[in-house]
Amino acid sequence: MISIKSTGNGLIPLNTRWWKPTKEEWAPMLLDDNVPFWRRQVDPTYGTPWAALSPAYDKWKQARYPGQPILRASGLMQDVAFISTQGDRFLVKSTKYGKFHQFGTRKMDARPWMGVPDISLKHIVPIAWRNILSRRR
């Protein structure tokens, strides 16, 4: 919890450049917050389960990667994922095929693996306030 105590003339110095440090601090935390959803195989933003694999692909995958979850054959897509910021945008970088899993294709259902979970929204408020109230200018 953040409390503000006013002293002297009642003016509280606020950092008007709070957004840049806030988003840079929040981006890696946002990535970490997605990991538990990968394990549960659900959309991080809405909590809906990912679509099942087609029977033929599931059979092929189980023969080659027994016991692996839907999006975890090599693990490369999730292991190299990185969130950066550019202006007011958050950019997710991963493998070339990460976007196909996120948004789907004509032949493959979307299995959103990146999102903004509720826990991430709870983290950003204290980070933002700390940066707003910081004396850095």
Side-chain angles (χ1 to χ4, degrees):
M1 170 171 254
I2 296 175
S3 61
I4 300 173
K5 182 177 180 181
S6 176
T7 59
N9 60 9
L11 298 176
I12 300 170
L14 299 178
N15 180 0
T16 57
R17 296 188 176 124
W18 65 274
W19 178 235
K20 186 175 193 281
T22 297
K23 67 182 180 177
E24 289 173 357
E25 188 176 340
W26 191 49
M29 188 176 298
L30 179 60
L31 181 62
D32 290 344
D33 289 346
N34 276 268
V35 173
F37 294 91
W38 301 344
R39 290 187 193 116
R40 293 194 334 249
Q41 302 184 79
V42 298
D43 179 329
T45 302
Y46 301 106
T48 54
W50 290 336
L53 300 175
S54 69
Y57 183 67
D58 190 39
K59 182 178 178 181
W60 176 90
K61 185 174 178 187
Q62 289 307 316
R64 285 158 183 79
Y65 305 101
Q68 289 294 319
I70 291 174
L71 296 184
R72 191 81 182 171
S74 70
L76 183 62
M77 182 177 73
Q78 295 163 348
D79 291 346
V80 301
F82 178 76
I83 298 178
S84 63
T85 61
Q86 184 178 59
D88 285 341
R89 298 171 48 187
F90 287 83
L91 305 171
V92 176
K93 296 178 183 178
S94 183
T95 59
K96 292 179 183 180
Y97 53 86
K99 63 184 174 187
F100 302 121
H101 290 285
Q102 182 74 19
F103 302 109
T105 68
R106 284 183 292 131
K107 295 184 176 185
M108 183 177 79
D109 290 323
R111 293 178 180 90
W113 60 285
M114 290 299 297
V116 182
D118 286 344
I119 189 70
S120 296
L121 295 174
K122 291 175 185 174
H123 290 154
I124 196 168
V125 173
I127 294 169
W129 271 112
R130 185 176 58 253
N131 286 311
I132 289 168
L133 297 175
S134 119
R135 294 188 185 256
R136 290 180 276 162
R137 296 262 179 217

